PDB file of all heavy atoms in Angstrom:
ATOM      1  N   VAL A 106     -19.830 -43.273  41.827  1.00 35.00           N
ATOM      2  CA  VAL A 106     -19.683 -41.827  42.111  1.00 35.00           C
ATOM      3  C   VAL A 106     -20.539 -41.403  43.271  1.00 35.00           C
ATOM      4  O   VAL A 106     -20.081 -40.719  44.156  1.00 35.00           O
ATOM      5  CB  VAL A 106     -19.925 -41.022  40.837  1.00 35.00           C
ATOM      6  CG1 VAL A 106     -20.034 -39.532  41.123  1.00 35.00           C
ATOM      7  CG2 VAL A 106     -18.863 -41.288  39.769  1.00 35.00           C
ATOM      8  N   SER A 107     -21.762 -41.846  43.276  1.00 38.00           N
ATOM      9  CA  SER A 107     -22.668 -41.357  44.331  1.00 38.00           C
ATOM     10  C   SER A 107     -22.189 -41.830  45.730  1.00 38.00           C
ATOM     11  O   SER A 107     -22.342 -41.144  46.700  1.00 38.00           O
ATOM     12  CB  SER A 107     -24.066 -41.840  44.035  1.00 38.00           C
ATOM     13  OG  SER A 107     -24.258 -43.150  44.341  1.00 38.00           O
ATOM     14  N   LEU A 108     -21.553 -43.010  45.790  1.00 38.00           N
ATOM     15  CA  LEU A 108     -21.066 -43.483  47.109  1.00 38.00           C
ATOM     16  C   LEU A 108     -19.941 -42.615  47.566  1.00 38.00           C
ATOM     17  O   LEU A 108     -19.856 -42.237  48.748  1.00 38.00           O
ATOM     18  CB  LEU A 108     -20.484 -44.901  46.984  1.00 38.00           C
ATOM     19  CG  LEU A 108     -21.497 -46.000  47.123  1.00 38.00           C
ATOM     20  CD1 LEU A 108     -20.861 -47.311  47.094  1.00 38.00           C
ATOM     21  CD2 LEU A 108     -22.306 -45.833  48.435  1.00 38.00           C
ATOM     22  N   ALA A 109     -19.023 -42.218  46.644  1.00 37.00           N
ATOM     23  CA  ALA A 109     -17.893 -41.364  47.041  1.00 37.00           C
ATOM     24  C   ALA A 109     -18.391 -40.040  47.505  1.00 37.00           C
ATOM     25  O   ALA A 109     -17.902 -39.484  48.521  1.00 37.00           O
ATOM     26  CB  ALA A 109     -16.937 -41.170  45.851  1.00 37.00           C
ATOM     27  N   GLY A 110     -19.362 -39.502  46.889  1.00 36.00           N
ATOM     28  CA  GLY A 110     -20.007 -38.208  47.275  1.00 36.00           C
ATOM     29  C   GLY A 110     -20.540 -38.309  48.688  1.00 36.00           C
ATOM     30  O   GLY A 110     -20.363 -37.409  49.501  1.00 36.00           O
ATOM     31  N   LEU A 111     -21.224 -39.433  48.968  1.00 38.00           N
ATOM     32  CA  LEU A 111     -21.797 -39.595  50.254  1.00 38.00           C
ATOM     33  C   LEU A 111     -20.763 -39.577  51.335  1.00 38.00           C
ATOM     34  O   LEU A 111     -20.926 -38.908  52.407  1.00 38.00           O
ATOM     35  CB  LEU A 111     -22.568 -40.958  50.268  1.00 38.00           C
ATOM     36  CG  LEU A 111     -23.423 -41.143  51.518  1.00 38.00           C
ATOM     37  CD1 LEU A 111     -24.726 -40.472  51.304  1.00 38.00           C
ATOM     38  CD2 LEU A 111     -23.597 -42.647  51.758  1.00 38.00           C
ATOM     39  N   ALA A 112     -19.621 -40.212  51.164  1.00 39.00           N
ATOM     40  CA  ALA A 112     -18.591 -40.312  52.127  1.00 39.00           C
ATOM     41  C   ALA A 112     -18.117 -38.883  52.436  1.00 39.00           C
ATOM     42  O   ALA A 112     -17.887 -38.515  53.596  1.00 39.00           O
ATOM     43  CB  ALA A 112     -17.436 -41.160  51.602  1.00 39.00           C
ATOM     44  N   ALA A 113     -18.019 -38.046  51.381  1.00 37.00           N
ATOM     45  CA  ALA A 113     -17.477 -36.710  51.616  1.00 37.00           C
ATOM     46  C   ALA A 113     -18.476 -35.844  52.438  1.00 37.00           C
ATOM     47  O   ALA A 113     -18.084 -35.103  53.270  1.00 37.00           O
ATOM     48  CB  ALA A 113     -17.261 -36.020  50.304  1.00 37.00           C
ATOM     49  N   THR A 114     -19.770 -36.066  52.234  1.00 37.00           N
ATOM     50  CA  THR A 114     -20.714 -35.214  52.955  1.00 37.00           C
ATOM     51  C   THR A 114     -20.817 -35.605  54.466  1.00 37.00           C
ATOM     52  O   THR A 114     -21.264 -34.852  55.259  1.00 37.00           O
ATOM     53  CB  THR A 114     -22.103 -35.253  52.390  1.00 37.00           C
ATOM     54  OG1 THR A 114     -22.515 -36.634  52.392  1.00 37.00           O
ATOM     55  CG2 THR A 114     -22.193 -34.724  50.974  1.00 37.00           C
ATOM     56  N   THR A 115     -20.442 -36.870  54.797  1.00 40.00           N
ATOM     57  CA  THR A 115     -20.539 -37.210  56.139  1.00 40.00           C
ATOM     58  C   THR A 115     -19.301 -36.785  57.023  1.00 40.00           C
ATOM     59  O   THR A 115     -19.230 -37.028  58.193  1.00 40.00           O
ATOM     60  CB  THR A 115     -20.729 -38.727  56.345  1.00 40.00           C
ATOM     61  OG1 THR A 115     -19.554 -39.395  55.771  1.00 40.00           O
ATOM     62  CG2 THR A 115     -21.991 -39.226  55.715  1.00 40.00           C
ATOM     63  N   MET A 116     -18.362 -36.126  56.364  1.00 39.00           N
ATOM     64  CA  MET A 116     -17.151 -35.644  57.081  1.00 39.00           C
ATOM     65  C   MET A 116     -17.520 -34.487  57.982  1.00 39.00           C
ATOM     66  O   MET A 116     -18.049 -33.515  57.591  1.00 39.00           O
ATOM     67  CB  MET A 116     -16.133 -35.134  56.082  1.00 39.00           C
ATOM     68  CG  MET A 116     -14.920 -36.003  55.922  1.00 39.00           C
ATOM     69  SD  MET A 116     -13.866 -35.277  54.672  1.00 39.00           S
ATOM     70  CE  MET A 116     -13.962 -33.581  55.047  1.00 39.00           C
ATOM     71  N   MET A 117     -17.269 -34.642  59.285  1.00 44.00           N
ATOM     72  CA  MET A 117     -17.745 -33.637  60.222  1.00 44.00           C
ATOM     73  C   MET A 117     -16.544 -32.974  60.904  1.00 44.00           C
ATOM     74  O   MET A 117     -16.598 -31.807  61.288  1.00 44.00           O
ATOM     75  CB  MET A 117     -18.568 -34.292  61.339  1.00 44.00           C
ATOM     76  CG  MET A 117     -19.884 -34.872  60.853  1.00 44.00           C
ATOM     77  SD  MET A 117     -21.062 -33.560  60.395  1.00 44.00           S
ATOM     78  CE  MET A 117     -22.463 -34.512  60.089  1.00 44.00           C
ATOM     79  N   ILE A 118     -15.460 -33.656  61.134  1.00 43.00           N
ATOM     80  CA  ILE A 118     -14.337 -33.113  61.847  1.00 43.00           C
ATOM     81  C   ILE A 118     -13.599 -32.093  60.976  1.00 43.00           C
ATOM     82  O   ILE A 118     -13.353 -32.410  59.785  1.00 43.00           O
ATOM     83  CB  ILE A 118     -13.404 -34.226  62.345  1.00 43.00           C
ATOM     84  CG1 ILE A 118     -14.147 -35.114  63.343  1.00 43.00           C
ATOM     85  CG2 ILE A 118     -12.109 -33.653  62.912  1.00 43.00           C
ATOM     86  CD1 ILE A 118     -13.373 -36.271  63.788  1.00 43.00           C
TER      87      ILE A 118
END
Side-chain angles (χ1 to χ4, degrees):
V106 169
S107 75
L108 273 186
L111 189 83
T114 59
T115 57
M116 249 176 44
M117 294 290 187
I118 293 177

